[in-house]
Amino acid sequence: MTKRMLLLPVLLLLTACSINPSSQNTIIDWVDFVKWNDATYEANYEMNELEKDWETTEEVGEVKYMLDGHASANHQSKNGDAAYLPKGTKVFAMKGYDPAFRIIADGKVYEVTESDTAETVGDFLDIEGKVQRVILQSEQDLSFIGEFSDEHAEQLIEELLIMPYEPDRRATEGKRVFFGIELVDGTMTRSLYWPETGYVHYGGVASVEVKGIFEVEMGEYDY
């Protein structure tokens, strides 16, 4: 079975899958995820395509159940589940990051997309003091459009880290704004912002300050 290669895994839900009705047997194309410590992590394909040996620290867990070939489409995920990692695969913390944000399993980087326990986005988004710049990206191919001013980048990160984590307020109507936060180690975490609703895909609703920052930066680059 061909695994789905997703350009923006942050856009998909944990149990998102497609079913191929033309096959004699049902084929489920799972998102490549790991459920650990009451949080959902999805493979960061951009980082993993670099085929780099990412440094790890301590072992934090292991896979208990592999969905591929075993679970039905209505499977309710729980801690220890993974889409494509075999049972017994070790899960490690990634050097330089809180495992609430990034973990490594089978040599691949997984980045958090959902948390069952976070109260603020900063509870899992471990980027404080690690940001190089913030950029706007094309909706078509994620190519570079423009860079936030240093002042706006700093203000945006401060606001994101204290933003209440309220995924139940998800509202994704209207225009989408793609943005990336480039970190000092050369990696990037990507997200989306919906100006009409104020929702930020990290799981919260933008403050007045965040809305103002995006309005100015979008105007600067005619986004």
Side-chain angles (χ1 to χ4, degrees):
M1 181 181 69
T2 301
K3 300 177 184 177
R4 180 184 300 166
M5 298 300 290
L6 302 172
L7 188 60
L8 269 181
V10 296
L11 302 182
L12 300 175
L13 298 176
L14 162 62
T15 55
C17 60
S18 63
I19 300 177
N20 183 353
S22 63
S23 176
Q24 184 175 1
N25 298 315
T26 299
I27 298 175
I28 303 175
D29 198 10
W30 300 100
V31 172
D32 189 358
F33 79 92
V34 176
K35 176 85 174 186
W36 172 78
N37 200 28
D38 297 323
T40 301
Y41 300 76
E42 292 181 10
N44 186 317
Y45 288 105
E46 184 177 49
M47 293 177 66
N48 294 331
E49 286 175 355
L50 297 175
E51 298 183 351
K52 182 177 178 179
D53 291 329
W54 304 101
E55 291 190 67
T56 62
T57 54
E58 75 272 18
E59 179 183 324
V60 295
E62 68 176 48
V63 174
K64 303 294 185 183
Y65 180 72
M66 182 174 73
L67 276 66
D68 187 37
H70 301 95
S72 64
N74 61 358
H75 176 81
Q76 297 297 310
S77 63
K78 58 184 180 297
N79 287 330
D81 282 359
Y84 297 109
L85 300 176
K87 179 179 178 180
T89 300
K90 303 300 183 183
V91 178
F92 298 91
M94 182 176 180
K95 185 176 181 180
Y97 293 100
D98 190 317
F101 177 47
R102 285 175 172 172
I103 55 176
I104 294 179
D106 194 30
K108 297 189 294 183
V109 178
Y110 289 81
E111 188 168 299
V112 68
T113 56
E114 298 177 12
S115 172
D116 296 340
T117 59
E119 295 183 357
T120 68
V121 171
D123 287 342
F124 55 81
L125 190 63
D126 181 24
I127 60 173
E128 186 173 9
K130 302 172 183 176
V131 176
Q132 182 70 34
R133 63 175 183 167
V134 179
I135 63 173
L136 288 173
Q137 298 175 293
S138 166
E139 182 175 358
Q140 281 70 44
D141 59 8
L142 295 180
S143 59
F144 176 85
I145 288 182
E147 180 177 343
F148 283 36
S149 69
D150 290 344
E151 180 182 3
H152 279 166
E154 182 177 351
Q155 291 174 347
L156 176 64
I157 300 307
E158 289 177 355
E159 290 291 323
L160 285 177
L161 295 179
I162 63 173
M163 178 184 292
Y165 181 64
E166 301 173 305
D168 290 343
R169 296 183 64 185
R170 175 183 173 88
T172 56
E173 295 79 24
K175 179 184 179 68
R176 300 178 299 175
V177 178
F178 288 72
F179 69 100
I181 302 174
E182 187 176 305
L183 306 177
V184 293
D185 64 359
T187 65
M188 184 178 293
T189 176
R190 304 181 188 275
S191 194
L192 287 165
Y193 168 65
W194 284 265
E196 287 188 21
T197 64
Y199 189 75
V200 179
H201 196 75
Y202 284 123
V205 177
S207 64
V208 172
E209 289 77 11
V210 169
K211 292 177 181 178
I213 290 169
F214 272 103
E215 182 177 355
V216 171
E217 294 294 343
M218 290 167 62
E220 177 71 20
Y221 298 104
D222 195 26
Y223 195 101

